[in-house]
């Protein structure tokens, strides 16, 4: 077993999983304290590193893509103080940190843990029920229903719709963006068959965030909801099947299959260049065509 205890938190590795407990120091972020202890199975890890500095160092865990709903919901936008997979290490504990790193790396090699993306969440996400007040409203989640309530700072046009109640089955996505500079952040829920380009300030399915202390806690609500939505790998597989079905008619006519598929590739290229297809959509569609060829 390897263990490192710091003011920033305590990390313990027993060979099968890492137990990450936030510290009680006043400098530990509110998000990490609210999230509490995390148990990360070895199979969810893609790597570990330790970086030394003049006064303090930093232990970092790198998780496999798709393993943690929190990382997926935040999309790499969590600032360092809020990242539960980083630990500040005092200079007198550098030796312990290096030993801890070696133990985890050796376990990854011995167990031959791959570093490629996973097709299901390996961490459960934040515990529910959750309720966070920040920005222009309060977001509550009990594991099935999201409740959005507005405060006196909410725009009248948005508050006029009243309290919103959404179920997980109503949603196709959830997004969390922190505020940056003069740009406000938001927690947004995308409802099936009801896409919107309205700014979060006016969107009744969004909470606008202004960069205050509790804003990062909205990321926990996003992560808890994300954990109950279809895994992104499952959604991608569905997209590929749909694209393959769309490609099939191109090769079913009376002309040569190969020529029809080549023409389809040219059409996809034109759609991509014109901006109709995103890079990801174009890549999946192209692969579906090439597979048929």
């Amino acid at each position: 077993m390897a263990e490192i205890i710091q003011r920033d938190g305590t990390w313990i590795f027993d060979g099968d999983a890492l137990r990450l407990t936030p510290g009680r120091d006043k400098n530990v972020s509110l998000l990490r304290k609210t999230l509490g202890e995390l148990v990360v199975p070895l199979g969810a890890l893609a790597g570990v590193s330790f970086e030394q500095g003049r006064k303090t160092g930093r232990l970092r865990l790198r998780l496999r893509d798709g393993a943690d709903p929190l990382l997926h919901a935040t999309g790499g936008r969590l600032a360092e103080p809020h990242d539960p997979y980083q630990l500040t290490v005092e200079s007198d504990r550098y030796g312990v940190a290096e030993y801890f790193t070696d133990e985890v790396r050796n376990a990854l090699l011995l167990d031959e843990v791959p570093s490629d993306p996973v097709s299901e969440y390996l961490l459960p996400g934040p515990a529910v029920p959750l309720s966070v007040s920040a920005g222009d409203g309060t977001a509550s989640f009990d594991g099935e229903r999201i409740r959005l309530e507005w405060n006196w700072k909410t725009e009248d046009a948005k508050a006029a719709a009243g309290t919103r109640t959404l179920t997980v089955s109503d949603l196709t996505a959830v997004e969390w963006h922190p505020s940056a500079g003069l740009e406000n952040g938001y927690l947004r829920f995308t409802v099936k068959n009801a896409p919107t380009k309205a700014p979060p300030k006016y969107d009744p399915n969004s909470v606008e965030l202004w960069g205050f202390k509790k804003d990062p806690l909205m990321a926990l609500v996003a992560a808890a909801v994300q954990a109950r939505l279809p895994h992104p790998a499952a959604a991608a597989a569905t997209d590929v099947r749909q694209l393959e079905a769309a490609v099939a008619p191109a090769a079913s006519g009376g002309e040569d299959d190969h020529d029809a598929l080549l023409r389809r590739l040219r059409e996809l290229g034109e759609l991509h260049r014109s901006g109709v297809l995103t890079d990801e959509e174009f890549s999946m569609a192209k692969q579906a065509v090439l597979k048929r060829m």
Side-chain angles (χ1 to χ4, degrees):
M1 186 176 77
E3 179 182 63
I4 180 166
I5 302 173
Q6 293 290 274
R7 287 182 299 175
D8 195 33
T10 298
W11 286 14
I12 300 173
F13 176 55
D14 63 8
D16 295 317
L18 292 100
R19 191 175 298 274
L20 317 179
T21 306
R24 297 181 179 178
D25 189 78
K26 65 179 181 180
N27 293 322
V28 176
S29 79
L30 182 60
L31 182 146
R32 289 179 56 205
K33 288 180 178 178
T34 304
L35 182 59
E37 185 177 83
L38 286 175
V39 178
V40 183
L42 184 64
L45 283 185
V48 59
S49 63
F50 174 57
E51 304 159 7
Q52 293 189 16
R54 293 183 62 183
K55 294 183 178 180
T56 60
R58 191 170 295 274
L59 267 171
R60 300 178 189 266
L61 297 180
R62 183 166 57 88
L63 271 63
R64 297 169 66 185
D65 287 346
D68 181 19
L70 175 62
L71 294 184
H72 182 78
T74 55
R77 293 179 290 269
L78 271 181
E80 280 193 359
H82 307 302
D83 187 343
Y85 302 113
Q86 298 188 32
L87 182 73
T88 301
V89 179
E90 302 296 328
S91 58
D92 62 347
R93 305 298 285 172
Y94 281 1
V96 177
E98 289 172 346
Y99 171 75
F100 188 94
T101 302
D102 288 342
E103 287 292 292
V104 175
R105 285 177 176 169
N106 290 337
L108 288 170
L109 288 172
L110 288 172
D111 283 25
E112 298 181 343
V113 177
S115 59
D116 55 340
V118 297
S119 58
E120 61 180 354
Y121 292 122
L122 302 180
L123 282 87
V128 294
L130 268 173
S131 184
V132 177
S133 296
D136 67 352
T138 297
S140 304
F141 182 52
D142 64 6
E144 295 181 1
R145 289 174 296 278
I146 302 108
R147 183 178 174 87
L148 303 178
E149 300 174 85
W150 313 117
N151 57 37
W152 64 272
K153 294 170 283 189
T154 310
E155 278 291 320
D156 291 343
K158 181 171 165 180
T163 299
R164 296 282 288 168
T165 300
L166 304 168
T167 65
V168 172
S169 60
D170 292 332
L171 307 179
T172 58
V174 56
E175 304 171 77
W176 173 83
H177 283 256
S179 59
L182 298 177
E183 184 178 348
N184 291 336
Y186 60 85
L187 170 69
R188 187 196 297 273
F189 299 96
T190 303
V191 180
K192 291 177 181 176
N193 303 317
T196 179
K197 294 184 179 179
K201 184 176 183 177
Y202 302 106
D203 181 6
N205 297 319
S206 300
V207 177
E208 187 180 35
L209 305 173
W210 301 316
F212 296 130
K213 183 178 180 180
K214 289 188 176 181
D215 282 12
L217 295 183
M218 285 293 185
L220 299 182
V221 178
V225 173
Q226 183 65 54
R228 290 158 177 82
L229 290 174
H231 190 275
T238 300
D239 290 342
V240 169
R241 288 194 294 271
Q242 291 173 343
L243 286 167
E244 287 178 341
V247 168
S252 61
E255 56 192 313
D256 182 75
D257 287 355
H258 189 269
D259 290 342
L261 291 170
L262 284 175
R263 187 176 68 252
R264 181 59 173 161
L265 280 176
R266 288 193 293 270
E267 292 171 351
L268 291 171
E270 292 171 1
L271 291 171
H272 180 233
R273 285 190 294 273
S274 65
V276 175
L277 291 178
T278 65
D279 292 344
E280 184 179 1
E281 290 169 339
F282 172 65
S283 177
M284 288 193 296
K286 183 175 70 174
Q287 291 301 319
V289 175
L290 293 176
K291 183 177 178 181
R292 293 187 62 84
M293 295 179 70

